[in-house]
Amino acid sequence: MIALNILNLSFMASLAFVLGVKFFKKKLFTAFDFFVIGIIVYYLIPFSATEIFLSDRNTFQTKVETKVYTFLVIFISTLIALVGYKMTAKVKLLRVADLKLFPVFKQVIGVISIAIFFYIIWIYVTKIDFSNLEHNMQLRELLSGLGPFAVLLQIPNGLALYYIYRAAKYKENYKLATIWMIVALMTTFIRGERTDLVFIALFPFLAWYFYKKTAKPIIVGIVVISIILSIYSANFKVTHINNDEGYGQTAIKMIEDDFDRNWVTWAAIDNASLTKSELLPYRGSGYVYTLLGYVPRSIAPFKGYNSPQWFTLNISPQMGYTLYGVSDVSELDWGYAFGFQVESILNFGFIGLVFVSFFVGVALRFLQNLLVRFEVLYPIIAIMALQFSALTSFTLMTIHVPILVTALIIYMSGDRKETSTRSAFVNTAIGR
């Protein structure tokens, strides 16, 4: 294990050095750069941190060989994604004219956002008893009845992103940016997802970084999210609120509970073959659910359930856990988090990892093309690219894509001071 830790730290140091050189040369990180940061945050740092400080942690236990295979999975999938990203560098994946939508689109989004704001206020006033609020799972239950309509809650987040862009670039709309950021944070808080709350809070700092290209916004952003993580963990996170550990141990536990994607990869590898996994009912079932994500179950009862639910149901007995009150996957309303590496292995085995990794590279190129044309999207594209290794395709589709689409529609229907963001600044600041 010492040798594997040294290998992991060496790989992490190499990636960090490449990113650091680019950062200090004041070159903006691209979508692929943020993807690599995601690998570091969700795999490399957690692996060494937990192996050194939490060797007896209660997660999926496996052989050293599987841990080596996991390292190879991360290394190879990253290389394949890079191939997909580079191969499509000259392919016009974004064949969209510089359209200007009617202002009514912006007005409609504004009206919907105001209506959602009042709905959120109503929930705060009538549904939340802060004196008896013990953990984040209670918050999640508040919105459980919304079903697919919960995606509408992301619209104010897209509006906040747009006004943050205006404030960062044109030094205007500060009040609107502040107001809608507060609404976005209030809306995200009641969803009970601490990670989403943290990344929404990063919007201003990523926009600031895009236009200033200095270390200051990144450093300030890291401090802010560290404070949010600590406060949320101590008061709301169900897995932390009863811990009486010191700050250092709590920090390591946060890495294990919120960032570590190694152990779920171990479990996926140990239960997979070349083309399938024993943890899902049939090949591709998780992706079928994603494709039908916005289709009500009453219309498509065959769509099944998402990959994290199946994974959690079937891996828990192997870990010695009992899911009390759960006898069927339909009764499970949560699941362990993982990214595209695990999701692809669960759906189509190791062959799936190869094809999906290439597709992720192509998707990153598409996001980069979007970014070059529409700089308003920089914060959400950075977060999406970083989260490829942390969240499933269904989560990205239902949480992040609506924010991106909302901000894009507002941008294309609002008054702009230029007709295109494919400016000399963007072309020189962002590497291809």
Side-chain angles (χ1 to χ4, degrees):
M1 286 306 299
I2 295 178
L4 191 56
N5 257 308
I6 293 174
L7 180 62
N8 179 74
L9 291 171
S10 300
F11 186 39
M12 181 170 60
S14 300
L15 294 179
F17 176 78
V18 174
L19 292 171
V21 169
K22 187 171 186 178
F23 181 76
F24 287 109
K25 284 186 175 181
K26 295 187 176 181
K27 292 184 178 180
L28 283 172
F29 288 151
T30 64
F32 196 87
D33 293 331
F34 280 105
F35 170 73
V36 172
I37 292 173
I39 296 292
I40 295 173
V41 169
Y42 291 105
Y43 277 99
L44 305 186
I45 292 177
F47 179 83
S48 291
T50 54
E51 287 293 325
I52 294 172
F53 297 105
L54 290 174
S55 57
D56 59 343
R57 62 194 185 280
N58 296 319
T59 57
F60 184 83
Q61 300 300 312
T62 189
K63 308 178 295 294
V64 174
E65 289 82 355
T66 300
K67 297 181 180 181
V68 174
Y69 295 153
T70 297
F71 183 84
L72 292 175
V73 162
I74 301 310
F75 181 73
I76 292 172
S77 64
T78 303
L79 284 181
I80 295 174
L82 179 61
V83 170
Y85 183 78
K86 291 294 186 181
M87 283 183 63
T88 51
K90 296 182 179 180
V91 178
K92 301 297 182 181
L93 297 176
L94 183 62
R95 297 184 179 277
V96 179
D98 192 27
L99 300 175
K100 184 171 175 62
L101 301 178
F102 292 112
V104 67
F105 285 95
K106 182 179 179 181
Q107 295 166 4
V108 169
I109 287 176
V111 170
I112 293 174
S113 297
I114 292 172
I116 291 173
F117 170 66
F118 282 111
Y119 172 71
I120 295 302
I121 292 295
W122 177 75
I123 289 180
Y124 273 98
V125 173
T126 64
K127 300 291 185 180
I128 300 179
D129 180 3
F130 283 98
S131 62
N132 293 316
L133 182 60
E134 297 180 352
H135 52 75
N136 62 319
M137 297 303 290
Q138 291 174 289
L139 293 171
R140 294 185 189 183
E141 294 173 359
L142 297 175
L143 304 176
S144 59
L146 289 179
F149 293 104
V151 71
L152 297 176
L153 297 180
Q154 304 305 322
I155 291 178
N157 298 342
L159 192 61
L161 179 59
Y162 171 76
Y163 283 114
I164 286 169
Y165 149 75
R166 300 289 298 190
K169 183 171 185 179
Y170 299 121
K171 313 300 180 185
E172 63 184 29
N173 298 122
Y174 288 111
K175 290 183 179 179
L176 284 172
T178 302
I179 290 171
W180 285 111
M181 265 300 295
I182 292 173
V183 174
L185 292 172
M186 290 175 62
T187 304
T188 306
F189 175 77
I190 64 169
R191 292 184 56 251
E193 293 287 353
R194 182 178 60 162
T195 303
D196 292 341
L197 187 68
V198 165
F199 285 119
I200 294 297
L202 278 180
F203 279 177
F205 302 101
L206 288 169
W208 182 13
Y209 166 67
F210 182 84
Y211 290 106
K212 296 298 183 181
K213 293 184 294 179
T214 64
K216 186 176 179 179
I218 298 298
I219 294 172
V220 175
I222 291 174
V223 171
V224 169
I225 65 174
S226 297
I227 293 173
I228 293 175
L229 285 170
S230 299
I231 294 175
Y232 198 104
S233 294
N235 295 278
F236 299 109
K237 184 68 175 177
V238 68
T239 54
H240 292 287
I241 54 177
N242 295 319
N243 289 343
D244 294 322
E245 300 167 331
Y247 179 80
Q249 193 70 5
T250 299
I252 298 297
K253 285 289 292 180
M254 283 169 50
I255 292 176
E256 177 195 21
D257 292 341
D258 299 308
F259 296 98
D260 186 15
R261 298 298 188 266
N262 287 286
W263 76 265
V264 288
T265 312
W266 302 342
I269 290 174
D270 279 353
N271 288 275
S273 62
L274 190 62
T275 62
K276 67 175 183 177
S277 169
E278 300 300 326
L279 300 176
L280 262 63
Y282 61 87
R283 292 182 179 90
S285 64
Y287 290 132
V288 170
Y289 180 86
T290 298
L291 291 173
L292 299 173
Y294 290 118
V295 180
R297 195 172 298 279
S298 58
I299 297 176
F302 54 85
K303 73 177 186 178
Y305 295 87
N306 62 43
S307 299
Q309 285 175 286
W310 279 111
F311 174 86
T312 303
L313 180 71
N314 292 322
I315 205 63
S316 293
Q318 296 186 31
M319 299 169 64
Y321 292 166
T322 300
L323 299 173
Y324 293 102
V326 176
S327 59
D328 183 76
V329 67
S330 62
E331 299 172 342
L332 191 63
D333 58 359
W334 65 280
Y336 293 114
F338 47 77
F340 83 92
Q341 298 94 340
V342 173
E343 184 177 25
S344 59
I345 293 173
L346 290 176
N347 279 274
F348 293 110
F350 298 110
I351 291 295
L353 176 71
V354 174
F355 286 98
V356 174
S357 296
F358 183 84
F359 175 77
V360 165
V362 176
L364 288 167
R365 173 59 63 183
F366 177 77
L367 291 176
Q368 182 65 20
N369 285 352
L370 273 178
L371 171 57
V372 171
R373 186 174 291 273
F374 305 108
E375 60 192 36
V376 63
L377 301 177
Y378 189 81
I380 189 61
I381 285 177
I383 290 169
M384 287 181 68
L386 190 148
Q387 294 281 71
F388 267 111
S389 295
L391 302 174
T392 62
S393 56
F394 176 77
T395 304
L396 291 171
M397 182 183 73
T398 55
I399 301 300
H400 298 84
V401 171
I403 298 175
L404 185 151
V405 172
T406 299
L408 184 59
I409 291 174
I410 299 172
Y411 177 85
M412 296 176 71
S413 60
D415 295 326
R416 287 177 287 167
K417 297 183 178 180
E418 69 242 357
T419 58
S420 174
T421 61
R422 190 181 289 274
S423 60
F425 168 75
V426 175
N427 286 327
T428 55
I430 303 179
R432 296 303 186 90

